[in-house]
Amino acid sequence: KQEVTQIPAALSVPEGENLVLNCSFTDSAIYNLQWFRQDPGKGLTSLLLIQSSQREQTSGRLNASLDKSSGRSTLYIAASQPGDSATYLCAVNYAGGGNKLTFGTGTQLKVEL
Amino acid sequence: DVKVTQSSRYLVKRTGEKVFLECVQDMDHENMFWYRQDPGLGLRLIYFSYDVKMKEKGDIPEGYSVSREKKERFSLILESASTNQTSMYLCASSTMLGVLAGGIRADTQYFGPGTRLTVL
């Protein structure tokens, strides 16, 4: 079964700290992997999309890496701020699954002053 | 900017009622999706559509149907609402990047704000 796992489920860090969120997937045959952010009671906002041929993507303080052979992706957040507090979701577009995304259950991040 | 709108932010219905959830996107995207999100279970795909009048079942289609009569609009229908359909419903859209061996590649999915449905 094609699954996506995110650990830890929750994380609390002091402001200014660099942090890494982890995502693992069970099948290396993927089209792409996306990281989303979700604020409480809101929809999802796309942060980064990594195509299967890429190793990483960067946007501002965010950097996402992809290692298909090990079935892992990381989202690195530099110099965290209280405004980064949200749930971060990883989603994989598995090959042969059409347009379907398989989501992890997310990591709830809290950045404290 | 891509805009995906959903007809209601909050909805309360009675068991047995027929419920319509509407989703509209303004970027001429080919693909549209309906998910539900529940604590501890994450987002699960209900149905998706890659063209007008086309639909495909996702992982949990039971108890739901969909309609896509126009490219910009994708409707989710609960024929007879039940309490276990109380959830957050999220709509998304995306465009095609191309067709490769083994399937279709799509760009990032853009999500609407969600509809929190409560069935009493």
Side-chain angles (χ1 to χ4, degrees):
Chain A
K1 186 180 177 184
Q2 294 170 328
E3 295 180 332
V4 178
T5 303
Q6 291 184 252
I7 295 173
L11 183 63
S12 183
V13 301
E15 182 181 11
E17 190 164 299
N18 302 324
L19 61 102
V20 174
L21 305 180
N22 296 297
C23 172
S24 60
F25 47 96
T26 52
D27 187 342
S28 61
I30 69 171
Y31 288 142
N32 59 53
L33 182 146
Q34 284 186 248
W35 283 93
F36 292 89
R37 169 187 172 135
Q38 186 177 31
D39 294 287
K42 302 281 182 68
L44 278 65
T45 301
S46 180
L47 297 173
L48 291 164
L49 179 148
I50 311 177
Q51 302 290 356
S52 63
S53 58
Q54 299 174 322
R55 294 299 299 265
E56 65 176 350
Q57 282 285 334
T58 298
S59 176
R61 294 183 293 110
L62 304 179
N63 176 276
S65 69
L66 175 64
D67 183 345
K68 287 192 300 179
S69 61
S70 66
R72 291 182 183 178
S73 175
T74 61
L75 179 67
Y76 174 82
I77 302 177
S80 59
Q81 303 170 357
D84 294 331
S85 298
T87 297
Y88 291 81
L89 295 160
C90 170
V92 173
N93 186 187
Y94 281 108
N99 305 305
K100 292 168 52 176
L101 286 180
T102 302
F103 281 84
T105 51
T107 295
Q108 188 173 11
L109 173 66
K110 184 175 182 181
V111 181
E112 298 174 317
L113 291 168
Chain B
D1 277 356
V2 175
K3 192 165 185 184
V4 180
T5 57
Q6 295 183 229
S7 49
S8 305
R9 290 300 310 276
Y10 301 94
L11 209 53
V12 180
K13 295 292 182 180
R14 297 278 181 193
T15 301
E17 280 192 75
K18 190 168 186 175
V19 181
F20 292 88
L21 301 182
E22 302 282 337
C23 175
V24 178
Q25 50 92 6
D26 66 356
M27 285 301 293
D28 201 35
H29 283 172
E30 297 87 356
N31 310 316
M32 297 189 75
F33 310 81
W34 275 107
Y35 297 88
R36 63 177 283 177
Q37 185 177 29
D38 301 288
L41 296 176
L43 274 86
R44 293 177 291 167
L45 182 65
I46 305 171
Y47 267 97
F48 66 102
S49 167
Y50 52 85
D51 203 352
V52 175
K53 297 192 184 295
M54 305 294 283
K55 61 183 179 183
E56 297 233 358
K57 292 180 180 179
D59 299 317
I60 51 164
E62 297 78 18
Y64 303 94
S65 63
V66 290
S67 173
R68 191 158 181 210
E69 296 298 317
K70 293 184 178 181
K71 192 174 185 179
E72 67 271 19
R73 187 180 297 269
F74 192 34
S75 303
L76 180 69
I77 303 155
L78 287 66
E79 294 289 342
S80 178
S82 63
T83 55
N84 63 13
Q85 292 178 310
T86 291
S87 186
M88 172 74 117
Y89 289 87
L90 291 161
C91 173
S93 71
S94 71
T95 190
M96 298 289 195
L97 287 182
V99 179
L100 300 178
I104 298 166
R105 293 188 67 182
D107 201 355
T108 190
Q109 290 191 14
Y110 296 89
F111 280 78
T115 296
R116 184 160 294 282
L117 172 67
T118 302
V119 182
L120 301 175

